[in-house]
Amino acid sequence: MKTTLLMRLAVCAVLCQSALGFAAVVDDVPESKAYELLLDLKLPNAATYNVTPPTYETDKSKTWSTSFDRVAYHLEVKRPDESRQWIWVSMQAFTDDPSKVGIPHSGAKIFWQQSLQDLDVRTNHSTVKEVTQSQSGNIEFWPSNYGVQNTAQVPNASDTAYDFGDGPATGPGYGSMQIHDHGQKTTLFAYNSWGSNATTDDLGIGNNATPMSSGAVHSDWTFRGNAAEYEIKRLRVYLRPGPTPGGLAVQLTSPGDRQVVQRNEDGLGSIEVSGALTSFASHIEASAVALKGGVDAPWQVIDASPTKSFHGALQLQQGWYRLDIRVWQDETLLTEISSPEFGVGDVYITAGQSNSANSGKPAQTPTSPMVGAWGPSGWRHAKDPQPIATGVGGTPWPHLGDLLVEAYGVPVGFISVGWGGTSVTQWQPGHSKQLFERLKLALGHVGWRGARAILWHQGESDAASKMTSKTYRELMTKLIDASRDYAGWTIPWGVARASYLPKLGQTEIQAIVDGQQQVIDADKTVFEGPNTNDMIGSVWRHDTVHFNEAGLKEHAKRWKETIPTPTASVKTAPVDEPDAGEPIEADAGGELDSASTSDSGATL
């Protein structure tokens, strides 16, 4: 009897705790009565969810069967001898999949870096402002490391501190689960460092105000390692049953924001139109609206038999566009959406060492909206730092994009894969540094004849190692040939004359320039890039090696003057033409981001 009584008391304790927890949320937020609990998790002090996924006390994500129109998060925390703090953050559903709203560990394949619609905030936290139907919310959910760079260009965010506008890396790592109100410059709640290391997690409501030992203050709680301070820390996720928001009925995967596709010799480019559907449709149609240059394209069916996804293409004249897309079930219009802005113009792959990468100061931003950059997270405005290249500073590419847009009136896209401090030897296929994989990544993304040229700026490291002209010419020729073998066509290269480092002798500097010139002279599809060796001193360089703002702009100007006038696509004989409809895939090998766990502002 005693055992039975103890068992009943234990069951009662669990049930009462659950009931009290639910009652507390309803007491906090009466409107939560319209929502249903999806996930409930007591947060540990030090999680490793990328290694061992979370075990929720309540998990209905696999059994949920109804549509929902809003998602809500309720976080409560309490330190000893302090009052309980809580926050409720709800927003229009940003997905129709209930398995994509929880802890974004690598096994869940969750990644969200976007704005939120109709944000509601309820809280008892003294520094967080309650809002209703706000349009200034944004979400940063990912399993990876991240850096201070505001890659999504969130309004008001910093490029020097971790806050409400950071830039994710790839692969499993530190982990971020954050929701912000960038209009209020406020982190609403943040839960970080739960990914792959066993250090104490970061957790907080509102902005963190405690500085690091370096003096840096990261408002999104990154590096705080403070989760053990709380005796209560509990996260709940709710869904409100209702019709799926119209924008989620079709999830567009292409075209991407600021995407640029290469035009051909007739000024035409083919833009992929693809996405996923949440319900059955009989056909998908699209039309193109020319925003600058270009020619409108009338409504046309791009997929006559979609399933859960759709795929098609539109051929458009060079210019800047928006697509309107309609989803039909026979004669009933299910939904209509518009794509992000994109363009048909010229795409350049840039490679080399630090002066092709993000090592200049300050970071640059294109003035034209028609200058895009591609990286692992997709296309975006080509604001520095460029998404794949190493470093966190500036490049010549934003200004070059502006110059080319102004000169030729077509959009310009960049894929920058440079790596600071590298030699031409390290860029060879098969080298342990795996830098050639970065070129393959870019070539695989653009596909057959999908770029105008590769722009190469490198040579300083080889001058420092006293490489001969002959060796440089041979290695550079091998690299160019390997890129063309992989691409399947003779992609043009532009090779800069670059080899200057302070304290190097003129003999070493000139040897590399001679090798570069020999490569240019020997191949009609390699054009002469700029000579930057005369840009010396504080007029051009901020640290005697890397360019300052004047240097970055002059570097861009010299590239613009040396790139052949792009009046038509470069017509070259194919090396090995792929079958139609079989795009070249990028290999997964090679690193895309350097990683660090310091609080210095480098990539996490």
Side-chain angles (χ1 to χ4, degrees):
M1 180 178 293
K2 183 177 180 180
T3 302
T4 302
L5 178 60
L6 289 174
M7 290 177 62
R8 288 177 178 175
L9 288 172
V11 171
C12 179
V14 172
L15 293 175
C16 290
Q17 183 182 32
S18 176
L20 287 172
F22 180 73
V25 176
V26 172
D27 290 343
D28 291 342
V29 191
E31 65 204 67
S32 67
K33 292 179 181 179
Y35 291 71
E36 294 185 18
L37 180 65
L38 180 77
L39 302 170
D40 187 356
L41 180 64
K42 288 183 178 179
L43 302 178
N45 291 335
T48 54
Y49 289 144
N50 285 336
V51 179
T52 304
T55 301
Y56 296 97
E57 293 194 9
T58 299
D59 184 354
K60 299 179 182 178
S61 61
K62 294 181 177 61
T63 59
W64 186 278
S65 59
T66 61
S67 62
F68 54 94
D69 62 357
R70 290 185 70 80
V71 180
Y73 296 87
H74 182 272
L75 174 65
E76 59 177 333
V77 295
K78 183 183 182 303
R79 293 184 176 93
D81 302 321
E82 290 186 6
S83 299
R84 167 179 166 271
Q85 293 182 331
W86 60 268
I87 190 167
W88 167 275
V89 183
S90 70
M91 69 289 298
Q92 179 177 295
F94 49 87
T95 177
D96 65 336
D97 187 344
S99 70
K100 302 301 182 185
V101 297
I103 303 289
H105 62 91
S106 56
K109 294 181 170 54
I110 296 173
F111 180 97
W112 300 111
Q113 184 187 26
Q114 64 182 59
S115 59
L116 297 171
Q117 297 183 40
D118 300 335
L119 183 76
D120 290 353
V121 177
R122 308 289 181 261
T123 184
N124 70 346
H125 194 284
S126 60
T127 68
V128 178
K129 181 179 179 180
E130 293 190 341
V131 296
T132 300
Q133 299 291 289
S134 170
Q135 304 306 313
S136 63
N138 65 290
I139 183 171
E140 295 185 324
F141 280 25
W142 51 67
S144 61
N145 296 331
Y146 50 98
V148 297
Q149 305 94 329
N150 183 15
T151 58
Q153 300 179 50
V154 178
N156 303 319
S158 168
D159 278 322
T160 59
Y162 294 97
D163 61 359
F164 46 88
D166 296 332
T170 57
Y174 196 79
S176 169
M177 186 177 188
Q178 304 174 7
I179 295 181
H180 313 278
D181 183 346
H182 60 76
Q184 304 294 329
K185 300 182 180 179
T186 300
T187 292
L188 299 174
F189 74 82
Y191 178 38
N192 321 312
S193 186
W194 42 259
S196 303
N197 60 57
T199 58
T200 305
D201 300 343
D202 316 323
L203 181 64
I205 297 172
N207 285 343
N208 167 58
T210 302
M212 305 295 298
S213 58
S214 65
V217 177
H218 303 309
S219 61
D220 68 354
W221 299 82
T222 299
F223 298 130
R224 278 286 280 114
N226 66 317
E229 297 175 3
Y230 303 108
E231 61 182 2
I232 295 175
K233 41 187 179 291
R234 190 161 190 162
L235 177 67
R236 299 177 178 90
V237 184
Y238 291 83
L239 301 178
R240 189 177 76 176
T244 302
L248 295 178
V250 52
Q251 298 174 20
L252 194 65
T253 55
S254 179
D257 187 23
R258 315 295 179 105
Q259 180 176 353
V260 180
V261 296
Q262 181 62 46
R263 55 178 172 157
N264 65 16
E265 60 270 21
D266 298 317
L268 297 172
S270 180
I271 184 69
E272 177 185 325
V273 186
S274 60
L277 301 171
T278 61
S279 59
F280 179 79
S282 61
H283 61 284
I284 312 291
E285 62 179 4
S287 68
V289 179
L291 303 175
K292 187 170 184 179
V295 178
D296 289 348
W299 287 103
Q300 54 191 283
V301 174
I302 55 107
D303 194 329
S305 56
T307 54
K308 282 293 185 179
S309 62
F310 62 92
H311 185 277
L314 288 178
Q315 191 173 62
L316 302 172
Q317 284 283 350
Q318 60 194 35
W320 195 242
Y321 291 91
R322 181 196 78 233
L323 293 186
D324 293 332
I325 299 166
R326 291 174 176 169
V327 181
W328 292 89
Q329 175 55 46
D330 298 326
E331 296 182 359
T332 300
L333 179 63
L334 299 180
T335 190
E336 181 173 349
I337 64 168
S338 294
S339 77
E341 295 180 9
F342 67 94
V344 176
D346 293 321
V347 178
Y348 296 92
I349 297 169
T350 71
Q353 56 185 105
S354 56
N355 278 321
S356 80
N358 299 301
S359 294
K361 284 187 179 179
Q364 304 293 298
T365 300
T367 58
S368 171
M370 299 196 303
V371 183
W374 181 82
S377 299
W379 284 89
R380 62 169 176 83
H381 200 209
K383 175 184 177 182
D384 286 333
Q386 299 301 303
I388 301 177
T390 58
V392 296
T395 73
W397 313 127
H399 189 56
L400 175 60
D402 282 339
L403 293 174
L404 294 173
V405 169
E406 181 181 6
Y408 305 115
V410 299
V412 175
F414 291 102
I415 305 178
S416 299
V417 300
W419 189 298
T422 53
S423 69
V424 68
T425 302
Q426 292 172 313
W427 283 88
Q428 299 300 307
H431 191 278
S432 60
K433 190 73 172 176
Q434 293 190 312
L435 299 183
F436 188 69
E437 300 299 318
R438 298 163 76 83
L439 280 173
K440 289 168 66 176
L441 178 74
L443 290 166
H445 175 72
V446 300
W448 173 254
R449 297 182 184 269
R452 182 160 294 280
I454 295 174
L455 309 183
W456 177 260
H457 190 282
Q458 184 275 337
E460 300 93 332
S461 293
D462 297 313
S465 69
K466 299 184 179 181
M467 182 178 287
T468 66
S469 300
K470 178 176 181 292
T471 300
Y472 191 91
R473 181 192 73 237
E474 291 173 347
L475 290 172
M476 194 69 218
T477 300
K478 284 176 61 179
L479 176 60
I480 292 172
D481 289 346
S483 73
R484 292 169 172 175
D485 287 343
Y486 179 77
W489 65 289
T490 310
I491 183 170
W493 278 64
V495 176
R497 276 73 50 75
S499 58
Y500 170 79
L501 282 177
K503 300 181 181 180
L504 286 186
Q506 186 58 34
T507 300
E508 291 86 355
I509 291 173
Q510 190 60 42
I512 300 304
V513 171
D514 290 345
Q516 291 162 343
Q517 193 65 51
Q518 290 166 19
V519 172
I520 295 164
D521 294 341
D523 188 336
K524 292 181 179 180
T525 58
V526 176
F527 62 87
E528 190 174 80
N531 187 334
T532 58
N533 278 354
D534 63 336
M535 296 169 61
I536 297 172
S538 60
V539 173
W540 302 116
R541 308 199 185 218
H542 68 84
D543 60 358
T544 74
V545 175
H546 304 108
F547 295 123
N548 58 21
E549 184 161 27
L552 291 171
K553 290 185 174 179
E554 179 65 17
H555 189 182
K557 178 174 176 286
R558 294 187 183 192
W559 270 113
K560 190 268 174 184
E561 291 170 347
T562 57
I563 293 173
T565 302
T567 55
S569 176
V570 178
K571 296 183 179 180
T572 54
V575 176
D576 183 17
E577 184 169 357
D579 293 337
E582 295 184 2
I584 299 170
E585 296 293 336
D587 281 15
E591 296 178 355
L592 296 181
D593 294 275
S594 55
S596 164
T597 55
S598 72
D599 68 327
S600 62
T603 300
L604 264 170

